Amino acid sequence: MTNHRTKREVSANRTAVIAQKAAVVRRYTYEGASMAALCRDYGVGIGWLRRQFDAWDIPRRPRGRTASAAVGTSADERERAALARRLAEPGLLEQSLVLDLSSARVSGAGVSPLAVPVGGVRVAGEVTVGNWGEALIVILQLEADPERYPKVRQRKPLGSPWEPRTVCWGASTPVDDWPTRGRMFGYHEAGISEYTAAHAQSSAPLGQR
């Protein structure tokens, strides 16, 4: 199919890939899209795309292997992929802190131990953990890097020590205004819509943001 495109079409497609670098890299690195799938979707040749990835210093996976190839994908990886789809600046994931809760007495089930720092359009973040003990461990880890995690605190009301606790950093976010929260978390417009749809009808713990 690529061979039937005119030079103008090929040039336009390549320009579009470069203009959409963040989305292309996000799909390949975090969502597991293959190089062939990207070529098909963007209408470019695989040789050109490989050279472009090299120019961007994006490591290429071994042929045939995707980011989500393993059957037993961990909650961390699923959460990372979800954040990569939503963040306007997915490069923040590379600066994220993997939280160590190994010393906690009780582990928060299903909680992603990933804290994405503020930066660019992302002015706030939060993560929900299993109880007050885990929250204190998270706070100590985040306070070690106040530039990326400013104003670390627990969200009130606190409730029972054994109930889930949400640790926040950066600017304060409104509790029920989901689009505003998504914007403050640094999501692009499609990411804000996805986040709003996923949470607007739920009163469950908010989890990783």
Side-chain angles (χ1 to χ4, degrees):
M1 297 295 290
T2 303
N3 295 334
H4 296 292
R5 295 188 178 93
T6 66
K7 290 183 178 180
R8 179 176 294 180
E9 289 172 332
V10 170
S11 178
N13 291 346
R14 291 177 176 179
T15 299
V17 168
I18 293 171
Q20 299 177 59
K21 174 184 174 181
V24 173
V25 172
R26 178 171 64 245
R27 287 187 58 191
Y28 181 79
T29 305
Y30 300 111
E31 298 178 21
S34 67
M35 191 77 69
L38 292 173
C39 290
R40 181 187 65 244
D41 293 346
Y42 289 95
V44 296
I46 196 165
W48 178 86
L49 188 59
R50 286 172 178 163
R51 291 191 296 273
Q52 192 60 48
F53 269 50
D54 291 341
W56 288 338
D57 291 325
I58 305 299
R60 285 192 268 130
R61 298 188 300 267
R63 185 173 297 180
R65 180 181 176 186
T66 66
S68 57
V71 175
T73 303
S74 71
D76 305 0
E77 292 168 339
R78 289 194 297 271
E79 191 64 36
R80 184 181 288 269
L83 286 165
R85 288 196 305 272
R86 295 174 180 174
L87 285 169
E89 300 177 47
L92 286 172
L93 286 174
E94 299 304 317
Q95 307 171 38
S96 297
L97 177 65
V98 178
L99 300 169
D100 181 6
L101 299 178
S102 59
S103 61
R105 294 178 61 187
V106 180
S107 178
V111 174
S112 170
L114 187 70
V116 183
V118 298
V121 296
R122 180 178 172 88
V123 298
E126 60 184 45
V127 61
T128 297
V129 292
N131 54 60
W132 69 277
E134 291 186 348
L136 292 178
I137 293 171
V138 169
I139 288 171
L140 289 174
Q141 292 180 51
L142 298 182
E143 285 183 337
D145 193 347
E147 183 175 345
R148 294 193 300 166
Y149 302 98
K151 302 179 181 178
V152 178
R153 62 203 181 275
Q154 291 190 61
R155 192 175 64 205
K156 297 180 179 180
L158 298 180
S160 165
W162 307 114
E163 292 178 353
R165 296 290 182 91
T166 298
V167 178
C168 309
W169 55 93
S172 297
T173 60
V175 175
D176 297 321
D177 187 343
W178 302 103
T180 297
R181 286 171 61 83
R183 199 162 289 111
M184 295 179 73
F185 291 146
Y187 300 157
H188 49 66
E189 289 304 316
I192 292 171
S193 297
E194 177 186 322
Y195 169 74
T196 299
H199 294 85
Q201 303 301 321
S202 174
S203 59
L206 299 177
Q208 169 69 45
R209 304 287 178 258

